[in-house]
Every structure is written in C-alpha cells, then in structure tokens.
Amino acid sequence: MPDTDLAVSLRRVFVRDMVMHTSIGVYDHEKEAPQRVRINLDLAVLEGDGVQNDDISTVLSYEDLVVGTRRICQDGHVNLVETLGEKLADMCLADRRVRKVIVRVEKLDVFEDVSAVGVEIERHNIAR
C-alpha cells in the first residue's frame, strides 16, 4: 500500500507556550540583550505501528522537541523570527515520521500595547 497521508494514521504532538530568552532582532538595541519569545510547535506524526509495549522509544518524544528548541534558542543571534521559525521547523522535520509542522514564534516585549508579534509557518515532509 502506498505511504500517503490518506492511507495512514497521524498523531498530533505539540509543545505549547514555551517562553525562552533568545538573542533575536535586527536593531542594535535588540542585540544588546536576549528577548523573550514564545514558541509553539504542532506536529502531525505518522503513527506507524503505534505505541508498542508502552515504550517511549516507539513514539516521537516531546522532551526531545523541548531540548532541541532550547538548544536552537541558545545557539547565537538571529535577526528574524522567520529564521528562528525555519530552524525549529527543520529540527522537527528531521524525524522522518513527521509529516507536517506548524511553528509559531512570538516576540513578547516589542510593543507596550501589543501582547505579541511574530510569525507562524507551516512546513511538510514529502511522504516517503
């Protein structure tokens, strides 16, 4: 049977409202100190054979997503929220079971009268 999204079951794995301090921004004052960003990851993951024997090694671990997000946010300055979003999407899509990821990156302290500004991107892995 071909491996298409219509022929398989998907599981949603997510990380919600993770707040990190990261060096981000194009302006000089933004390069002086880390800024607060809120990150949300929403992944559509192939279930394959599903959870086997209640064993974490048979599923995509959200702990790995959190640890990877922390690593990326601590990996040096980026100018754009779009760049950070792409790096996070690439991390998620590195697992071949991930079919789709939606990444939202929000800067929380840019405008006094706005709770957040940012970007949401959606990326797909081609069925293999």
Side-chain angles (χ1 to χ4, degrees):
M1 179 188 297
D3 182 16
T4 66
D5 286 344
L6 298 176
V8 296
S9 296
L10 297 173
R11 172 178 291 119
R12 300 281 299 258
V13 177
F14 58 87
V15 175
R16 291 215 176 110
D17 297 332
M18 183 175 180
V19 177
M20 299 286 308
H21 285 84
T22 191
S23 182
I24 190 166
V26 296
Y27 300 110
D28 289 339
H29 71 274
E30 293 180 301
K31 297 175 183 180
E32 294 173 3
Q35 296 184 62
R36 286 187 324 135
V37 295
R38 180 172 39 232
I39 295 169
N40 285 275
L41 308 174
D42 190 346
L43 294 77
V45 181
L46 285 174
E47 288 191 329
D49 294 330
V51 179
Q52 300 169 10
N53 300 319
D54 200 26
D55 184 354
I56 193 170
S57 69
T58 63
V59 297
L60 179 68
S61 168
Y62 47 78
E63 179 180 13
D64 292 342
L65 298 172
V66 169
V67 169
T69 298
R70 288 178 182 145
R71 179 187 49 76
I72 289 168
C73 287
Q74 296 167 352
D75 194 31
H77 185 84
V78 295
N79 287 326
L80 305 173
V81 291
E82 291 85 353
T83 302
L84 181 55
E86 293 294 347
K87 288 180 177 190
L88 294 166
D90 289 346
M91 173 198 66
C92 294
L93 293 172
D95 188 308
R96 294 174 58 104
R97 297 171 291 183
V98 176
R99 284 295 176 251
K100 176 177 87 169
V101 62
I102 298 172
V103 176
R104 178 181 288 196
V105 178
E106 301 171 88
K107 291 170 70 173
L108 302 178
D109 302 314
V110 175
F111 299 106
E112 189 175 303
D113 58 343
V114 177
S115 66
V117 295
V119 67
E120 182 175 278
I121 63 172
E122 180 174 322
R123 299 294 178 262
H124 299 261
N125 258 341
I126 298 171
R128 297 171 192 177

